Amino acid sequence: ITNRNTFLHSLKNWVQELRDNGPPEEQIVLVICGNKADLCKNQDQDQDQNNLPDTTTNADIDTEKQPTEQQAKQEENNENDTDGKKKTQNQHSTSLLPDLRQVSQEEAQRYADQIGAYYIETSAKDNWNVYTLFEQIAVRLPASFF
């Protein structure tokens, strides 16, 4: 989503190559993943930032332990933004970054709809929507896969 050339040329070439040389379409899950969402402002981020299932048990909780580096980062991300408003857990810290988006969500979604693909935006850096991406692929696996 931050490189228009990749969207216009590389992605479309990969899809065509898959159709020409891959298995029949009913045997694949076609997904377009718009990565680097952390470099874009105004994301529709209705998923948790970390997208990991909560596997914490009472035995895992130790109030005397210092927070891990990941927990400290999460706390920092949940602090107030530059306007003094409390940020929600699913917002990226993009207020100080330029918006590097070159492909709109609408354009990418239209293309995905045209080719019968599932579209999702992710941030590998922030681990945002990555779990959901793989979860959605698993849900869409054709019955012939099993």
Side-chain angles (χ1 to χ4, degrees):
I1 59 178
T2 61
N3 186 330
R4 186 152 193 79
N5 188 49
T6 299
F7 176 74
L8 291 175
H9 303 292
S10 300
L11 173 63
K12 294 176 182 185
N13 288 338
W14 293 331
V15 169
Q16 190 59 50
E17 185 174 329
L18 178 63
R19 288 192 166 146
D20 292 346
N21 301 309
E25 286 198 38
E26 62 274 1
Q27 294 179 2
I28 62 171
V29 177
L30 193 55
V31 176
I32 297 176
C33 177
N35 196 27
K36 298 189 180 181
D38 54 289
L39 299 178
C40 303
K41 293 184 179 183
N42 300 322
Q43 282 302 113
D44 176 23
Q45 298 167 359
D46 56 359
Q47 301 293 324
D48 286 342
Q49 184 173 355
N50 291 323
N51 278 310
L52 297 175
D54 185 7
T55 58
T56 305
T57 65
N58 288 339
D60 295 329
I61 300 171
D62 183 351
T63 57
E64 294 185 32
K65 285 185 180 178
Q66 293 295 321
T68 65
E69 185 177 333
Q70 182 178 4
Q71 290 167 330
K73 266 189 179 177
Q74 183 66 37
E75 274 300 312
E76 183 179 321
N77 286 340
N78 287 336
E79 293 299 318
N80 294 340
D81 64 16
T82 56
D83 296 333
K85 298 175 187 169
K86 187 71 174 172
K87 287 172 45 176
T88 60
Q89 184 175 355
N90 58 357
Q91 287 177 312
H92 289 297
S93 300
T94 58
S95 58
L96 302 176
L97 300 174
D99 187 358
L100 299 179
R101 179 181 290 277
Q102 293 183 8
V103 179
S104 72
Q105 288 177 307
E106 294 79 15
E107 181 180 14
Q109 184 64 60
R110 267 194 312 273
Y111 179 65
D113 291 344
Q114 280 179 341
I115 65 170
Y118 173 72
Y119 178 70
I120 186 169
E121 292 192 351
T122 64
S123 168
K125 178 183 174 192
D126 290 348
N127 195 25
W128 177 74
N129 257 357
V130 174
Y131 181 84
T132 302
L133 166 66
F134 287 101
E135 186 176 59
Q136 290 299 315
I137 291 170
V139 168
R140 288 171 166 71
L141 286 173
S144 62
F145 183 80
F146 303 100

